[in-house]
Amino acid sequence: MTATPGTLVLAGTPIGDLADAPPRLATELASADVVAAEDTRRLHRLTQALGVRPAGRVVSYFEGNETARTPELVEALAGGARVLLVTDAGMPSVSDPGYRLVAAAVERDIKVTAVPGPSAVLTALALSGLPVDRFCFEGFPPRKAGERLSRLKEVAGERRTLVYFEAPHRLDDTLAAMAEVFGPDRRAAVCRELTKTYEEIKRGPLGDLAVWAADGVRGEITVVVEGAPDPTPGDLDAGELVRRVRVREEAGERRKEAIAAVAAQAGLPKREVFDAVVAAKNAAHGAPSEGKGLT
């Protein structure tokens, strides 16, 4: 007889103040068959604060063992277990372990649900004072300077508000890179130690924030950056138009859709962007630069 599959529960945990734990978290901790925790020591502190003792087996599930442990947890789920996944702070899978397990559970048609909880992304966004109607989460910027600049250049024209995580010892370099790529006058907010005793929200132009961070900043950091302003037709040269099309193509878009999107962002006719792309392609191959149409 085949066992009825269990349920994977993703649980949000406090990002600072333990009193922010969702009420259902204690219930899930007390009843789960398996609790997979990013850091079992931090889990112990959390359960003590909540006055609850996990009834099931507690296992570690972090970046170093995520790949190896996922099959084990999926088999437990397939056998009918209720598996609770908690990370150190915030929601699992959001720059934390979880994605691989969710994807594997979905592949096996195992139910996945969540206990919603605190989120540093949404908390910082709401406190930033920047537009919140449209935003995108970019996670941690690359550590290497060259890769970081390249990644920032990819979103330089993004008009949605951008949200990043960053380590305190890299914050000054990241803000300086943002000021270089996005412009020193682009508005931003550095949100430090959210919901904790020394919570601080520092708002201002990127150039000013880079100077402020040069003296060193401590704590857990979330950076919110204003999106690019609406472009004025003619603001972007042909080289930049071609670069933006190429970035979209490398991300998986068809050339026709990439050209249309770049044209819309730049406030230009599609034909002008198409001609720039064709000219760049022909120049690279030493051919004439006449286009034949948007195909």
Side-chain angles (χ1 to χ4, degrees), residues 222-239:
T222 305
V223 180
V224 186
V225 183
E226 182 180 33
D230 291 342
T232 301
D235 276 356
L236 304 179
D237 61 24

mmCIF file of all heavy atoms in Angstrom, residues 222-239:
data_model
loop_
_atom_site.group_PDB
_atom_site.id
_atom_site.type_symbol
_atom_site.label_atom_id
_atom_site.label_comp_id
_atom_site.label_asym_id
_atom_site.label_seq_id
_atom_site.Cartn_x
_atom_site.Cartn_y
_atom_site.Cartn_z
ATOM 1 N N THR A 222 19.902 45.654 4.622
ATOM 2 C CA THR A 222 19.073 45.586 3.425
ATOM 3 C C THR A 222 19.128 46.955 2.766
ATOM 4 O O THR A 222 18.959 47.980 3.430
ATOM 5 C CB THR A 222 17.613 45.231 3.764
ATOM 6 O OG1 THR A 222 17.575 44.010 4.519
ATOM 7 C CG2 THR A 222 16.790 45.045 2.492
ATOM 8 N N VAL A 223 19.399 46.972 1.469
ATOM 9 C CA VAL A 223 19.521 48.233 0.729
ATOM 10 C C VAL A 223 18.365 48.346 -0.262
ATOM 11 O O VAL A 223 18.086 47.404 -1.015
ATOM 12 C CB VAL A 223 20.864 48.307 -0.035
ATOM 13 C CG1 VAL A 223 20.973 49.626 -0.791
ATOM 14 C CG2 VAL A 223 22.036 48.148 0.931
ATOM 15 N N VAL A 224 17.697 49.482 -0.249
ATOM 16 C CA VAL A 224 16.601 49.752 -1.179
ATOM 17 C C VAL A 224 17.018 50.922 -2.057
ATOM 18 O O VAL A 224 17.454 51.958 -1.551
ATOM 19 C CB VAL A 224 15.293 50.085 -0.429
ATOM 20 C CG1 VAL A 224 14.130 50.222 -1.404
ATOM 21 C CG2 VAL A 224 14.984 49.019 0.625
ATOM 22 N N VAL A 225 16.910 50.738 -3.376
ATOM 23 C CA VAL A 225 17.370 51.760 -4.323
ATOM 24 C C VAL A 225 16.226 52.163 -5.244
ATOM 25 O O VAL A 225 15.511 51.311 -5.782
ATOM 26 C CB VAL A 225 18.546 51.241 -5.172
ATOM 27 C CG1 VAL A 225 19.063 52.347 -6.094
ATOM 28 C CG2 VAL A 225 19.669 50.728 -4.279
ATOM 29 N N GLU A 226 16.070 53.453 -5.427
ATOM 30 C CA GLU A 226 15.053 53.980 -6.332
ATOM 31 C C GLU A 226 15.284 53.481 -7.753
ATOM 32 O O GLU A 226 16.423 53.326 -8.204
ATOM 33 C CB GLU A 226 15.122 55.502 -6.300
ATOM 34 C CG GLU A 226 14.101 56.219 -7.163
ATOM 35 C CD GLU A 226 14.256 57.723 -7.067
ATOM 36 O OE1 GLU A 226 15.398 58.205 -6.913
ATOM 37 O OE2 GLU A 226 13.233 58.425 -7.154
ATOM 38 N N GLY A 227 14.210 53.193 -8.470
ATOM 39 C CA GLY A 227 14.331 52.780 -9.854
ATOM 40 C C GLY A 227 14.801 53.915 -10.743
ATOM 41 O O GLY A 227 14.807 55.085 -10.349
ATOM 42 N N ALA A 228 15.222 53.561 -11.943
ATOM 43 C CA ALA A 228 15.702 54.562 -12.895
ATOM 44 C C ALA A 228 14.561 55.489 -13.305
ATOM 45 O O ALA A 228 13.403 55.063 -13.393
ATOM 46 C CB ALA A 228 16.286 53.877 -14.123
ATOM 47 N N PRO A 229 14.850 56.737 -13.562
ATOM 48 C CA PRO A 229 13.796 57.669 -14.021
ATOM 49 C C PRO A 229 13.317 57.296 -15.410
ATOM 50 O O PRO A 229 14.032 56.635 -16.178
ATOM 51 C CB PRO A 229 14.510 59.025 -14.017
ATOM 52 C CG PRO A 229 15.952 58.692 -14.204
ATOM 53 C CD PRO A 229 16.159 57.390 -13.482
ATOM 54 N N ASP A 230 12.108 57.701 -15.738
ATOM 55 C CA ASP A 230 11.596 57.470 -17.086
ATOM 56 C C ASP A 230 12.517 58.158 -18.090
ATOM 57 O O ASP A 230 12.815 59.346 -17.945
ATOM 58 C CB ASP A 230 10.175 58.037 -17.229
ATOM 59 C CG ASP A 230 9.171 57.244 -16.400
ATOM 60 O OD1 ASP A 230 9.495 56.109 -16.026
ATOM 61 O OD2 ASP A 230 8.083 57.784 -16.128
ATOM 62 N N PRO A 231 12.966 57.433 -19.094
ATOM 63 C CA PRO A 231 13.902 58.025 -20.053
ATOM 64 C C PRO A 231 13.218 59.007 -20.992
ATOM 65 O O PRO A 231 12.033 58.905 -21.277
ATOM 66 C CB PRO A 231 14.421 56.805 -20.823
ATOM 67 C CG PRO A 231 13.290 55.816 -20.748
ATOM 68 C CD PRO A 231 12.662 56.035 -19.403
ATOM 69 N N THR A 232 13.994 59.956 -21.452
ATOM 70 C CA THR A 232 13.540 60.898 -22.471
ATOM 71 C C THR A 232 14.067 60.417 -23.815
ATOM 72 O O THR A 232 15.234 60.030 -23.915
ATOM 73 C CB THR A 232 14.074 62.311 -22.184
ATOM 74 O OG1 THR A 232 13.608 62.714 -20.893
ATOM 75 C CG2 THR A 232 13.611 63.301 -23.236
ATOM 76 N N PRO A 233 13.235 60.376 -24.861
ATOM 77 C CA PRO A 233 13.718 59.929 -26.171
ATOM 78 C C PRO A 233 15.031 60.608 -26.550
ATOM 79 O O PRO A 233 15.162 61.825 -26.448
ATOM 80 C CB PRO A 233 12.578 60.311 -27.119
ATOM 81 C CG PRO A 233 11.356 60.267 -26.255
ATOM 82 C CD PRO A 233 11.817 60.773 -24.908
ATOM 83 N N GLY A 234 15.998 59.797 -26.977
ATOM 84 C CA GLY A 234 17.292 60.336 -27.375
ATOM 85 C C GLY A 234 18.318 60.320 -26.264
ATOM 86 O O GLY A 234 19.487 60.624 -26.489
ATOM 87 N N ASP A 235 17.907 59.973 -25.023
ATOM 88 C CA ASP A 235 18.847 59.942 -23.910
ATOM 89 C C ASP A 235 19.904 58.850 -24.089
ATOM 90 O O ASP A 235 21.040 58.987 -23.643
ATOM 91 C CB ASP A 235 18.109 59.702 -22.585
ATOM 92 C CG ASP A 235 17.566 60.997 -21.997
ATOM 93 O OD1 ASP A 235 17.844 62.057 -22.588
ATOM 94 O OD2 ASP A 235 16.885 60.940 -20.965
ATOM 95 N N LEU A 236 19.532 57.721 -24.695
ATOM 96 C CA LEU A 236 20.417 56.567 -24.795
ATOM 97 C C LEU A 236 21.059 56.513 -26.177
ATOM 98 O O LEU A 236 20.367 56.628 -27.199
ATOM 99 C CB LEU A 236 19.631 55.279 -24.534
ATOM 100 C CG LEU A 236 18.872 55.218 -23.198
ATOM 101 C CD1 LEU A 236 18.118 53.900 -23.089
ATOM 102 C CD2 LEU A 236 19.834 55.366 -22.028
ATOM 103 N N ASP A 237 22.372 56.296 -26.206
ATOM 104 C CA ASP A 237 23.030 56.164 -27.498
ATOM 105 C C ASP A 237 22.837 54.749 -28.035
ATOM 106 O O ASP A 237 22.339 53.860 -27.341
ATOM 107 C CB ASP A 237 24.508 56.535 -27.409
ATOM 108 C CG ASP A 237 25.299 55.651 -26.462
ATOM 109 O OD1 ASP A 237 24.883 54.499 -26.206
ATOM 110 O OD2 ASP A 237 26.349 56.097 -25.966
ATOM 111 N N ALA A 238 23.253 54.542 -29.288
ATOM 112 C CA ALA A 238 23.032 53.257 -29.944
ATOM 113 C C ALA A 238 23.725 52.120 -29.207
ATOM 114 O O ALA A 238 23.179 51.019 -29.087
ATOM 115 C CB ALA A 238 23.516 53.334 -31.395
ATOM 116 N N GLY A 239 24.928 52.388 -28.693
ATOM 117 C CA GLY A 239 25.661 51.343 -27.987
ATOM 118 C C GLY A 239 24.927 50.852 -26.763
ATOM 119 O O GLY A 239 24.897 49.643 -26.478
#
